[in-house]
Amino acid sequence: MKKIATILLLFIGTTLFAQEIKIDALEFSGLKRTKESLLRRLIKTKEQTIYDVSLVNADVERLKRLPGIASATYAIENRANKNILIYNVVENFTIIPGLRIATANDGSFSYRVSVFEFNLFGNNQLLGGFYEKNIFNSYGAFWEHPFLFSDKLGIGINYQDLTTQEPVFYDQGDKNYRFNSKNAEAKLLFSFNFKNEAELGAAFVQESYLFEGENPLPDTPLSLEANKFIYKGVYRFVDLDIDYQYFDGVVSEFTAQHIQFLNGDAPAETFLNSFSSFRNDFTYYKKIQDKGNWASRLRLAAAFGNDDSPFAPFTLDNQLNIRGVGTTVDRGTASIVLNTEYRHTLYEKGWFVVQGNAFIDAGSWRNPGEEFSQLFDGSSTKLYPGVGFRFIHKKIFNAVFRLDYGVGIGNDATNGIVFGIGQYF
């Protein structure tokens, strides 16, 4: 019996060894702008190694996550008794204009126009900027090279000059301020492996608030000015399968910041305190049959050190968390937000896709000076179901034009249309 077992094991081992495929060469097809040298650095399968299907599949998913690539597959060909592993790539168009339209806090028309190149020089660098008219003028410029130093280490820098009208919510009522922030940031970008990424950066900020309007509230500042440093760390776990408009998997992103005020005028020292903030976004995607996609995002956020300041860091806003609620309608020092939606492909032909979606956005906030229990007592809870459409270009990176209409449930609830580019989450 032992002899028979030994013969069987030898037979199985010999058969498996005989079935091993050696990769003699690697090739890429479909490349037009993306540099082959970059892709060879990023993939883990190498020439003169044994074919590993799990490793090759991971390479394909890695390639599909790059902004410059819309889709990727692979095949093995035998030529002159040599096995050639071929990655077949469909590239994205990556020079992307952007437009965001909204209503400003004074009821006027506001807009933001931008243009970004996501595959600069063919090695997936990002370069771009924006101009925004939101009562006042704002602009920003961004550059990132995720693979500047190696396939695991890159860098990013940006500068933003933002001026907006921001409501601040006091116990006596809310008042509008002209808010200006000049922000210069630099960060290191880490890619530890296929699923784990991180960022570590710092920013110097000049910040000011100027009271707008008449009849200021008693015991509230007319102006604030201060300089601050922001130290920021981000950890991102990505286990995601992407097939054009369909996502399947999970993404978890944790962001920690410490905001250190350096100096300021006397009112700033009273109202603008140094503090730390933490936020985690957990997003789950599930492909449903041939045309459906369920997506859910749970956002948990909290700040410590500025519990009583009306200049709280987390805002309730159409574009950030609750569709239909309005533009910057509240501020808080902690929040819990759940967004869930079902996306269904209504029409698809060639590069063009129309999706319909039904969603529920729900959240609660901890107002300045309140206990964390406010998150659960219902006093600040918002519930907004709604429907929308997505118009998608499959060959242009992030070319998802979305239109949603959210309907508030409860007393004093609002309704509203939200327009933007890119999926909401």
Side-chain angles (χ1 to χ4, degrees):
M1 192 69 181
K2 290 183 179 179
K3 187 177 291 185
I4 294 173
T6 303
I7 292 171
L8 285 173
L9 288 172
L10 288 172
F11 175 77
I12 293 171
T14 304
T15 303
L16 290 175
F17 181 80
Q19 291 177 340
E20 287 184 343
I21 300 174
K22 181 182 178 182
I23 303 300
D24 297 296
L26 293 172
E27 292 183 2
F28 294 85
S29 68
L31 296 182
K32 297 177 181 178
R33 298 189 61 226
T34 304
K35 289 184 177 179
E36 182 176 322
S37 58
L38 171 69
L39 303 189
R40 286 182 176 272
R41 286 171 58 193
L42 296 182
I43 63 172
K44 300 306 179 184
T45 301
K46 304 300 179 184
E47 296 177 344
Q48 305 304 315
T49 60
I50 300 301
Y51 167 70
D52 182 336
V53 63
S54 60
L55 195 61
V56 173
N57 283 330
D59 286 340
V60 168
E61 294 307 316
R62 179 70 181 91
L63 295 178
K64 288 196 293 185
R65 291 183 196 173
L66 295 173
I69 294 179
S71 183
T73 58
Y74 75 93
I76 298 177
E77 293 184 6
N78 187 276
R79 303 177 196 159
N81 294 323
K82 290 188 176 182
N83 296 311
I84 315 298
L85 176 60
I86 304 170
Y87 291 97
N88 302 298
V89 170
V90 178
E91 289 194 329
N92 271 322
F93 182 77
T94 54
I95 301 177
I96 311 301
L99 174 64
R100 190 171 74 191
I101 299 171
T103 301
N105 285 321
D106 67 348
S108 65
F109 176 74
S110 72
Y111 62 90
R112 175 181 173 131
V113 294
S114 63
V115 61
F116 282 84
E117 162 63 282
F118 291 89
N119 193 15
L120 184 67
F121 303 133
N123 55 16
N124 281 260
Q125 293 185 55
L126 177 148
L127 180 67
F130 72 87
Y131 168 78
E132 180 173 322
K133 179 67 174 180
N134 187 349
I135 305 176
F136 309 106
N137 299 317
S138 300
Y139 59 90
F142 302 80
W143 173 69
E144 288 185 7
H145 193 331
F147 313 112
L148 177 62
F149 304 112
S150 70
D151 62 333
K152 297 182 181 298
L153 183 61
I155 193 172
I157 59 174
N158 67 75
Y159 178 79
Q160 299 181 73
D161 189 328
L162 308 175
T163 306
T164 56
Q165 187 182 92
E166 295 283 341
V168 176
F169 303 91
Y170 298 102
D171 292 337
Q172 310 96 306
D174 58 276
K175 288 295 181 179
N176 287 322
Y177 283 79
R178 176 174 177 170
F179 169 70
N180 177 257
S181 172
K182 296 180 174 66
N183 182 322
E185 180 184 31
K187 58 186 177 181
L188 289 173
L189 310 174
F190 303 91
S191 179
F192 300 111
N193 52 44
F194 178 57
K195 295 181 179 180
N196 296 275
E197 306 168 354
E199 300 176 10
L200 188 63
F204 176 72
V205 183
Q206 293 180 321
E207 188 172 273
S208 66
Y209 289 86
L210 180 63
F211 175 75
E212 292 276 318
E214 300 177 354
N215 303 318
L217 297 171
D219 301 321
T220 61
L222 296 179
S223 66
L224 301 171
E225 291 186 4
N227 297 331
K228 64 183 182 182
F229 268 118
I230 300 177
Y231 305 96
K232 182 178 179 180
V234 179
Y235 167 73
R236 189 179 302 110
F237 173 80
V238 183
D239 186 4
L240 200 59
D241 182 14
I242 303 173
D243 183 18
Y244 291 109
Q245 71 267 29
Y246 301 112
F247 289 14
D248 195 276
V250 298
V251 178
S252 183
E253 181 174 287
F254 175 74
T255 302
Q257 293 189 116
H258 179 68
I259 293 84
Q260 179 67 50
F261 282 92
L262 303 176
N263 53 60
D265 53 23
E269 293 178 357
T270 301
F271 287 91
L272 300 179
N273 307 311
S274 297
F275 67 96
S276 298
S277 71
F278 304 91
R279 189 185 78 194
N280 193 86
D281 288 349
F282 179 82
T283 310
Y284 173 80
Y285 302 95
K286 178 64 177 178
K287 176 77 181 297
I288 299 176
Q289 297 183 349
D290 294 331
K291 296 184 177 182
N293 216 163
W294 179 39
S296 295
R297 178 182 67 179
L298 176 63
R299 171 172 288 181
L300 306 175
F304 301 90
N306 66 340
D307 298 352
D308 298 324
S309 174
F311 297 85
F314 306 121
T315 58
L316 176 58
D317 187 277
N318 267 326
Q319 293 289 343
L320 300 176
N321 34 51
I322 306 289
R323 284 164 282 192
V325 75
T327 303
T328 315
V329 298
D330 204 354
R331 290 177 178 271
T333 54
S335 67
I336 301 174
V337 179
L338 176 64
N339 310 100
T340 187
E341 67 181 29
Y342 174 72
R343 307 165 185 168
H344 192 84
T345 298
L346 303 174
Y347 175 82
E348 181 172 4
K349 187 172 183 180
W351 55 266
F352 183 65
V353 176
V354 178
Q355 271 186 343
N357 75 303
F359 65 85
I360 298 175
D361 292 345
S364 61
W365 272 257
R366 175 201 182 202
N367 294 323
E370 297 292 335
E371 300 294 329
F372 273 97
S373 59
Q374 187 184 23
L375 293 169
F376 309 100
D377 64 15
S379 63
S380 63
T381 300
K382 305 291 182 182
L383 180 63
Y384 277 72
V387 294
F389 289 96
R390 305 289 184 266
F391 304 94
I392 303 171
H393 194 304
K394 294 169 63 175
K395 302 294 180 65
I396 300 178
F397 175 66
N398 206 34
V400 179
F401 298 87
R402 56 178 163 84
L403 184 67
D404 292 316
Y405 184 77
V407 180
I409 295 177
N411 296 330
D412 301 321
T414 59
N415 306 326
I417 293 175
V418 182
F419 169 80
I421 294 178
Q423 291 284 11
Y424 197 66
F425 57 91

